[in-house]
Amino acid sequence: MFQQREQLFGAGAATARLSMADALPSPAARAPAGKPTAARERWAHVLEIIRDTNWTPDLGTNIGSAEWFRGLATLCLLCTGAYAVWPGIHPLGAAAMAPAPVAREELRSQMIMPMAFGSDTGRAMAATDAVVALRQAPERPTIELAAVIGRGDSFMRVMQRAGVGGGDAQSVANLVSSVVPLSDIRDGTRIDIILGRRFARNQPRPVESIAFRARFDMNVEIVRAGSSLDLVQKPILVDATPLRIRGTVGSSLYRSARAAGAPPRAIQAYLQTLGSQMSIGSDIRATDEFDIIVDYKRAATGEVEMGELLYAGLERSGKPRAQMLRWKTGSGAQWFEASGVGEERGEFARPVNGAITSGYGSRRHPILGFRRMHSGLDFRARSGTPIHATADGVVNYAGRKGGYGNFVRIAHGGNLASGYGHMSRIAVSNGTRVRRGQVIGYVGSTGLSTGPHLHYEMYRGGRAVDPSSVKFTTRAQLSGSELANFRARLKQLQGVTPGAALQSIAPPSSAATAEPKREIERIAGTTIA
């Protein structure tokens, strides 16, 4: 049927190709018998043209030529023919494995299907004489549940919400409050409750036991003993060794401290504390050593409690560059230097929470109609809004004062004072000592005022200055026994070994139990008479 052609491949062999001459028979073989000679010659001429024509040229060469378009037509015809006879893609079907008879019965008992298909769903069966109706369904002898104290929740409400009766809940609250204030129990504390059997359905279940963690160092369990409830305290071994972290500042103080194991909140407090004494960006060198001590507690049960930053230190070439200790005073906690001198710096504090409607400087008076010096700041606020003192001080004037209306003036020390005008009501009197943030009056529109607002002034040496340019600085000096206690605490913290708080907690000697002896060891050394 086909004529065979051999193509030799030499060192420079050409690309093999298939021509129509390979697939078409010779004219002699295809010419019909008995035809005239002229027709046979025309047929042979046509077959010769078809045989010599290259129908499958390389489409990568001679792009756009007649030969290239002929090859493209051949390709399209071949693709169309292949697509016409393509059987398509269909999933292969497989028979599902039939379950075993026992498994089928188990599945059928749980199926929801029409009864015509063999389901038991909906089939009602009449009761026989052997069926006796119960007067009441039996109850579980005990109920075990867990309750969690949520944010803003109270211990009593948690007990009652869990099903504890009012009497038992009050008794439990009284027992717990004798050990720890109920308000000190932290949010999220889990309370395990076991309620016993009740004697009647209209009565609450009695408390069998209640267990929870009342403090970081103590578990509490309340158990029933007869008709009363008893409280059992279970102390937890807690190590309160502060966590001390030291290291080299390097390229980044924050990253170096984090790599050394310091918590992010402690690092932020450390940077704020050092920032009050020096410039973090320019005064700290890469070779300096940071010293961070954090309040740290860990229980023998594995829990860890991280507290506030206690000590912030910085050393350069083995010498202290900064030593700051957090110390509690009568006015609260404050940072003190190693010498016992403390300093608090505060930016300009707003007396009310409102926008500034008029700044410091010359302006046209809204009532008098001519330009005059406005010696303070005006804050927009509703009538009756509380006015707060911007710093600690003593009230040296409280009353009516011309165009200021109801006016209060506070002396803050250091030749500084502040004034508050147009009040609707004054809440302090002359000579009263006030603290920063204390309410001294209420916003109004007394005096020369077009509406409710607060006129706030600052004075330095008796002369009005721009309030926004004033920063308050408060210094404190420890002395006497308080200074001695401060230095003792500082020495104690500086003696803490870095990483000592991370060592394992040794159990108390009383908790150690003797290893049991074998029977042969017990009778060893005894003599038989």
Side-chain angles (χ1 to χ4, degrees):
M1 181 177 178
F2 295 92
Q3 290 183 355
Q4 183 178 4
R5 287 190 177 182
E6 295 180 357
Q7 181 146 358
L8 300 177
F9 295 89
T15 303
R17 66 179 182 178
L18 176 66
S19 66
M20 294 298 296
D22 299 325
L24 294 177
S26 63
R30 295 292 298 171
K35 292 290 182 178
T37 306
R40 189 161 45 184
E41 289 178 357
R42 287 195 301 270
W43 176 250
H45 180 65
V46 171
L47 292 180
E48 185 178 359
I49 293 175
I50 295 174
R51 185 178 61 247
D52 294 338
T53 302
N54 183 14
W55 297 97
T56 58
D58 186 5
L59 295 180
T61 61
N62 299 327
I63 299 175
S65 62
E67 184 181 9
W68 184 84
F69 279 106
R70 185 169 57 248
L72 180 63
T74 304
L75 177 63
C76 294
L77 289 175
L78 292 176
C79 292
T80 304
Y83 182 75
V85 298
W86 182 44
I89 299 176
H90 303 285
L92 298 177
M97 183 181 295
V102 177
R104 181 177 179 81
E105 289 299 323
E106 293 179 354
L107 294 175
R108 190 177 64 83
S109 64
Q110 303 178 17
M111 280 193 254
I112 299 178
M113 57 188 299
M115 294 178 61
F117 295 157
S119 172
D120 293 336
T121 303
R123 181 177 297 176
M125 301 180 64
T128 63
D129 296 338
V131 177
V132 179
L134 296 175
R135 290 181 299 176
Q136 60 183 14
E139 291 186 344
R140 297 173 58 185
T142 59
I143 296 179
E144 299 181 7
L145 50 91
V148 179
I149 299 179
R151 180 177 298 178
D153 212 344
S154 66
F155 187 82
M156 283 288 294
R157 284 200 300 267
V158 172
M159 292 289 101
Q160 295 174 356
R161 195 164 55 242
V164 180
D168 284 351
Q170 188 62 48
S171 300
V172 171
N174 294 337
L175 291 173
V176 174
S177 60
S178 64
V179 177
V180 58
L182 298 181
S183 59
D184 291 350
I185 301 177
R186 299 183 177 181
D187 300 339
T189 300
R190 174 190 171 99
I191 304 176
D192 297 323
I193 305 173
I194 300 179
L195 302 178
R197 187 190 297 273
R198 57 183 177 181
F199 300 101
R201 289 181 175 271
N202 58 355
Q203 295 180 354
R205 287 178 174 267
V207 173
E208 289 293 332
S209 68
I210 293 178
F212 66 97
R213 191 164 190 160
R215 287 199 312 258
F216 188 72
D217 60 347
M218 183 178 62
N219 283 330
V220 167
E221 184 176 1
I222 298 173
V223 295
R224 180 169 293 278
S227 59
S228 61
L229 295 173
D230 294 338
L231 184 140
V232 179
Q233 302 182 33
K234 298 181 178 180
I236 301 174
L237 180 63
V238 174
D239 180 24
T241 302
L243 177 61
R244 188 175 188 180
I245 303 171
R246 292 176 60 93
T248 305
V249 173
S251 59
S252 173
L253 175 57
Y254 183 87
R255 293 180 181 179
S256 300
R258 286 290 293 138
R265 191 177 67 173
I267 300 176
Q268 293 175 1
Y270 176 81
L271 293 176
Q272 291 176 359
T273 304
L274 289 188
S276 63
Q277 303 295 317
M278 63 184 68
S279 174
I280 302 296
S282 59
D283 293 341
I284 299 180
R285 300 177 183 175
T287 57
D288 293 346
E289 294 184 358
F290 60 87
D291 193 356
I292 301 175
I293 301 180
V294 185
D295 189 14
Y296 188 81
K297 295 180 181 179
R298 55 199 179 108
T301 53
E303 294 82 6
V304 173
E305 187 179 65
M306 192 78 67
E308 300 290 337
L309 178 68
L310 301 178
Y311 175 80
L314 186 71
E315 294 184 3
R316 179 174 298 171
S317 301
K319 297 181 180 180
R321 182 81 167 81
Q323 291 180 329
M324 302 295 295
L325 176 64
R326 186 182 180 88
W327 187 254
K328 292 183 178 180
T329 59
S331 58
Q334 184 178 348
W335 286 96
F336 287 84
E337 300 175 358
S339 60
V341 177
E343 180 176 312
E344 289 185 352
R345 300 181 180 181
E347 299 291 337
F348 161 67
R350 288 178 174 266
V352 293
N353 187 16
I356 299 177
T357 58
S358 183
Y360 178 86
S362 178
R363 68 165 187 175
R364 182 181 178 85
H365 197 280
I367 296 179
L368 300 179
F370 56 86
R371 298 189 65 84
R372 60 180 294 184
M373 183 64 182
H374 186 239
S375 57
L377 302 177
D378 288 346
F379 290 88
R380 179 190 296 118
R382 293 183 179 181
S383 180
T385 302
I387 302 172
H388 305 276
T390 56
D392 300 347
V394 179
V395 177
N396 58 10
Y397 186 91
R400 193 81 179 186
K401 185 178 180 182
Y404 291 102
N406 292 330
F407 183 79
V408 171
R409 180 186 173 100
I410 302 176
H412 301 293
N415 214 17
L416 286 176
S418 60
Y420 313 80
H422 305 310
M423 292 185 178
S424 61
R425 183 162 59 92
I426 298 175
V428 292
S429 58
N430 196 11
T432 304
R433 179 173 293 277
V434 295
R435 307 289 297 177
R436 178 173 180 171
Q438 180 178 337
V439 177
I440 59 174
Y442 300 90
V443 173
S445 185
T446 57
L448 292 178
S449 173
T450 58
H453 72 284
L454 171 65
H455 177 78
Y456 174 69
E457 295 183 352
M458 284 295 300
Y459 310 97
R460 179 181 285 115
R463 299 183 60 181
V465 296
D466 187 0
S468 60
S469 64
V470 177
K471 297 181 180 180
F472 296 106
T473 302
T474 304
R475 286 186 174 272
Q477 176 68 52
L478 299 178
S479 60
S481 59
E482 190 174 13
L483 179 60
N485 296 335
F486 172 83
R487 290 176 175 173
R489 176 60 174 170
L490 179 62
K491 183 177 180 181
Q492 177 187 4
L493 291 179
Q494 290 178 340
V496 175
T497 304
L502 303 178
Q503 299 177 1
S504 62
I505 302 178
S509 57
S510 59
T513 56
E515 185 179 354
K517 294 182 178 181
R518 296 178 299 173
E519 187 65 23
I520 189 64
E521 295 175 350
R522 294 179 181 177
I523 63 176
T526 58
T527 57
I528 301 177

